Amino acid sequence: MKRLYLLLVRMVAAPRSWFRATAHRDRLEAEMEYELADHLERLTADLIRAGYSVREANRRAQIALGSTVVHKDAMRASLGLRLWDELSADLMYAFRRLRRSVGFTLVAAISLALAIGANTTIFSFAKQMLYERLAVPDAAELRLLAWTGTEKHVAVHHIWGDYDPLANGQVTSSAFSYPAYMQLRAQNRGGNGVMQDLFAFKETGMNATVAGNAQPVQTEIVSGNYYSVLGIRPVLGRIILPSDDVSAGQGPVAVISYGLWEREFGRSPRALGQGIKLNDMSFTIIGVNPKSFTGAKSTQQSPDVFVPISMQPLISPHGAGSLLTDNNEWWVNVMGRIRPGISDIAAQTVLDGQLGAVTRATITVRPKEDVPRMDLRDGSHGLFAQQKMFAKPMAVLLTMVGFVLLLACANIANLMLARGTQRQREMSVRLALGAGRKRIVRQMLVESLVLAGLGGVGGVIFGFIGSSLAPKLTENAWERSDFHVHFDWMVLGFTAGITILTGVLFGLAPAWAASRAGVGSGLKESSQSVTRRRKGWGGKSLVGFQVALSTLLVIGAGLFLRTLASLNAVDVGFRTDHLLLTEISPPPKIYPAGKDIALHTRLLEAFAATPGVDAVSPAWVPYISDDISRTDFKLEGVTYEDDAEDMNVVGSNFFSMLRIPVYAGRSFGLQDTATSTKVGIINASLAKKRFPNQNPIGRKFSVGGHNSDGVGGKVTEEWIIIIGVCGDTRYASLRAVPPPQFFLPFSQQTDAGGAVTYEVQTRMSPEAIVPLLRKVVQRQDTDLPLINVRTQRQQIDSTTQQERIFVAMTSSFGMLALALASVGIYGVMAYSVANRTNEIGIRLALGAQPRQVLTMILREATWISLAGVAVGLIAALALAQAVKSMLYGLQPADPVSLISGAALLILVGLAASWLPARRAASVQPIEALRHE
């Protein structure tokens, strides 16, 4: 009848209904098979207890229930479906087992979800920062041109761009002069060079007026072949063409980013043809970049505006003159595509020879100076500035979050070992019925993978949330950020991979233990007492491993927390409260030297008269901003090997406003005007360095550098008199000690030197005072925006951003580690107490006191914790040594961090084992003996 029914279903019903009926039939058959297996297990066990041998009991049980299972297995095996049926049944059985143990399933799944989610978040962040490529076709073909040279003897003196010292006394930079770029490009065109073509670009900040609103924007000035070499097509309009990059003033066109188009124009097609001002120069919008395109500099976020490089002399991003004809100013970045079949080594060799010839042709190389050597780099990541900042921190975070995953695996393995011991009888029956040990291992691994799958689903959710929140940690309070972490298929693949790996890791030990079950002993009623010793040191070893990992993570978090605390406790040497900082950068084309000083003077007077402003001072360099200004400091009649010193140009009330003490002489005053004697102030460190055991007041120095032709050495003939010695302050960062430094009065300068920072002392909130200051600027020039408005405290906090990220991440890992360790210790001690109920009852019956039983259990837990802590301390010392450069104010073997971390883990171990110990002490002897 059943076959006839199935035949009728296939003939009459729709294919969809037939598949549904077939699936329902298979599901019912699988459930019937497992129900039949359960009956066989119970019947076999009853027959064994009745005195039959294992083989005879198995035979009689199969005769009693018929040969349905054997027949069904043979039939399915003949069709090649046996393995699939077994796996399907294993999956159903695994879900049923997990559904019966809701508490265990929730604890395990949440633990795994948190660990997998943390790994997914850190991986997605690291992928975005370190492995993401520029969103251009065939990004792997891109090569960035850079150079290296000896730090003290390199022939290049004027650099606007990256300049990084190397450990071997060398320096490296990716900045070239524009004439050098043009010659290099000419030698690599027409099929004769090793590069298909080279293009130039430079990203810089500018003032912009968009739709009537003055705002700061990031602008990338690019050569005419920029878009064609990169292979970028606009989503609207057209790209910048070589014809737009012929000569200054002939290409006032701009391509805007997708973000600016969306933010200012609402993605309207009418943006094409609209005007935009950059440094008071009018441009016409001709196109919109794709959303994924971030320019050639970085993969993180896109500049707002792209304009032809020929417009540089008119918008003047650096100085008042043209950089397109300046041989001495190395400023532009150069990138290109390598020719197919050319190796990087061969290309670098050829380009190195070309660079040597170009350098000698464009600048004067002195006898003792070195010609820079070409350094061809992978250009698929842009300039890749984030590698220096994030490579090591990301490696540390990935290592630590990997330890969290191992900790979660050990925790789940421990819990599954405990459950596996309770299932010894089930496994013994399966073995007695003829199941192979591989079959048992597979069943346990399937259960582990199902549990890991549940954790993986939760990990994807937590990872997505974490990836969305992670960019918030990298933002400054005063800068707009379009940085996003891409949660793509690669991230999902990583999550799937670690989910499977996790399931195998924590499932192997329970599966192996289950396959080692004894057939005869497992079927005895007293099997619990037989197998309790077998659990023993396996679970305790896993708990010790958990404690060791937790110790490592907690001490690591403590080291970074103490580093942040040490940085926050640094005495910067000046006041940091009630100070608002903002920058104003007048376009040099509109405000050349002299006019810019007059503009700033008017702004200073207007700011000082604004209600709520207590004091205001200009400064060329804001403190603790990772920025420095350094120039020659030549004493009258004294020859010094290295004359360069840090400097700043400040207002007359700078020292009183920032509460920097003046130890000797006087501060700047109203008498220090543009026509009066030139004066300067040095700090105590510079006085100690240049005037040991002398009075520097009244001594003279000059400030100078190289001429515009690069043939150096000429200094100003006007001497500056030292009128005061002030206290030391931190300059560029909190980590560096106060450097020797000198100050010049802003009132005696003839050129503002670009952007000027205004330091405003006010007791009003930034939200209340900033609109008033913006109105003051708008009255002077409607196209001048306030740039980077922030408080001095926010400025300082931005330099400790990496430390704060580390504290947030590692503290989260540490707390999760403590939670997992406490669960592990509690689980193993609770299981140990449950298995030793009979033993404890006998001890109490023979006269042992409850407090002795309590002490015994706590002592056992303490030894486990101490062993794990000892191993964790050794690992923590190795980790601390590896991250030594990231610490501040403490040594890797910091006793406070080590002792507090170890003590915390021991306390957690005692706390987690307290309840099982109390339960053991409260065992009633009569109940324990009756149970036996």
Side-chain angles (χ1 to χ4, degrees), residues 528 532 830-844 853 919-920 922-929 931-932:
Q528 185 180 9
R532 70 171 63 111
Y831 182 76
S832 176
V833 168
N835 270 358
R836 296 172 62 184
T837 301
N838 302 334
E839 172 199 338
I840 294 170
I842 294 173
R843 287 177 181 271
L844 292 172
V853 174
R919 189 178 300 118
S922 62
V923 168
Q924 297 298 320
I926 188 65
E927 293 296 329
L929 295 176
H931 177 72
E932 179 68 20

Side-chain angles (χ1 to χ4, degrees), residues 187-515:
Q187 295 182 44
N188 280 275
R189 296 185 68 184
N192 297 322
V194 293
M195 306 294 290
Q196 299 179 44
D197 198 2
L198 298 175
F199 63 87
F201 63 98
K202 179 67 177 183
E203 185 176 329
T204 184
M206 293 187 186
N207 299 331
T209 304
V210 186
N213 298 320
Q215 58 184 282
V217 295
Q218 286 299 116
T219 304
E220 195 158 291
I221 51 179
V222 302
S223 57
N225 63 338
Y226 175 87
Y227 281 93
S228 59
V229 176
L230 287 176
I232 295 298
R233 297 177 179 272
V235 296
L236 186 68
R238 70 173 179 88
I239 59 175
I240 294 174
L241 301 171
S243 58
D244 299 316
D245 186 34
V246 177
S247 61
Q250 291 190 359
V253 295
V255 176
I256 62 175
S257 69
Y258 191 95
L260 184 66
W261 181 46
E262 185 177 47
R263 195 167 59 248
E264 297 293 338
F265 299 99
R267 292 186 292 181
S268 170
R270 288 177 296 186
L272 293 182
Q274 296 281 339
I276 179 175
K277 279 187 176 182
L278 295 175
N279 284 353
D280 270 348
M281 177 72 187
S282 296
F283 288 78
T284 301
I285 298 174
I286 60 170
V288 178
N289 283 328
K291 187 175 183 178
S292 61
F293 182 61
T294 56
K297 179 184 177 182
S298 171
T299 59
Q300 308 309 309
Q301 57 186 49
S302 173
D304 301 292
V305 186
F306 297 74
V307 298
I309 202 169
S310 61
M311 300 300 296
Q312 181 276 323
L314 298 179
I315 53 180
S316 294
H318 190 73
S322 173
L323 295 176
L324 304 182
T325 57
D326 192 340
N327 291 321
N328 300 296
E329 193 73 33
W330 289 46
W331 62 285
V332 72
N333 301 118
V334 181
M335 190 180 287
R337 291 185 182 274
I338 194 168
R339 289 190 183 277
I342 303 294
S343 68
D344 285 358
I345 295 177
Q348 179 168 304
T349 302
V350 173
L351 289 170
D352 182 53
Q354 295 174 356
L355 178 62
V358 167
T359 302
R360 290 185 174 88
T362 55
I363 63 176
T364 301
V365 181
R366 299 184 182 88
K368 292 184 179 181
E369 290 182 337
D370 300 331
V371 174
R373 303 296 302 270
M374 181 64 72
D375 181 15
L376 193 64
R377 303 175 184 172
D378 178 14
S380 63
H381 305 287
L383 300 188
F384 210 20
Q386 67 270 22
Q387 182 186 33
K388 180 180 177 181
M389 181 180 297
F390 289 102
K392 187 171 183 178
M394 282 299 166
V396 174
L397 284 179
L398 284 170
T399 301
M400 296 186 73
V401 80
F403 288 155
V404 172
L405 185 61
L406 279 177
L407 182 59
C409 289
N411 197 52
I412 307 304
N414 207 12
L415 294 176
M416 292 192 70
L417 277 173
R419 294 178 75 243
T421 305
Q422 295 174 350
R423 296 173 63 185
Q424 289 292 327
R425 185 178 177 187
E426 171 194 342
M427 299 306 163
S428 298
V429 172
R430 290 179 180 275
L431 291 169
L433 292 175
R437 297 190 185 275
K438 292 182 179 180
R439 181 72 174 82
I440 299 296
V441 170
R442 189 177 70 195
Q443 172 63 49
M444 297 297 291
L445 282 177
V446 167
E447 292 185 21
S448 301
L449 289 172
V450 169
L451 187 58
L454 295 176
V457 172
V460 169
I461 297 173
F462 285 129
F464 179 77
I465 295 173
S467 300
S468 301
L469 296 178
K472 304 293 183 183
L473 299 175
T474 64
E475 293 180 356
N476 287 324
W478 63 89
E479 291 180 329
R480 185 190 75 252
S481 176
D482 296 326
F483 173 58
H484 299 287
V485 175
H486 298 156
F487 200 83
D488 53 20
W489 288 108
M490 185 179 293
V491 177
L492 291 176
F494 170 81
T495 306
I498 63 171
T499 298
I500 295 172
L501 178 63
T502 298
V504 173
L505 278 177
F506 72 72
L508 278 177
W512 176 256
S515 69

Side-chain angles (χ1 to χ4, degrees), residues 41-91:
E41 290 175 6
R42 288 195 294 269
L43 183 55
T44 302
D46 291 339
L47 290 171
I48 291 173
R49 285 194 294 271
Y52 291 98
S53 66
V54 173
R55 179 177 298 179
E56 182 65 18
N58 188 11
R59 187 183 68 81
R60 287 177 174 269
Q62 290 197 27
I63 292 174
L65 293 176
S67 58
T68 308
V69 176
V70 176
H71 172 71
K72 210 175 269 291
D73 286 346
M75 179 184 67
R76 300 294 286 178
S78 66
L79 296 176
L81 301 177
R82 172 69 180 272
L83 179 60
W84 172 249
D85 285 345
E86 289 181 352
L87 288 175
S88 300
D90 287 344
L91 284 171

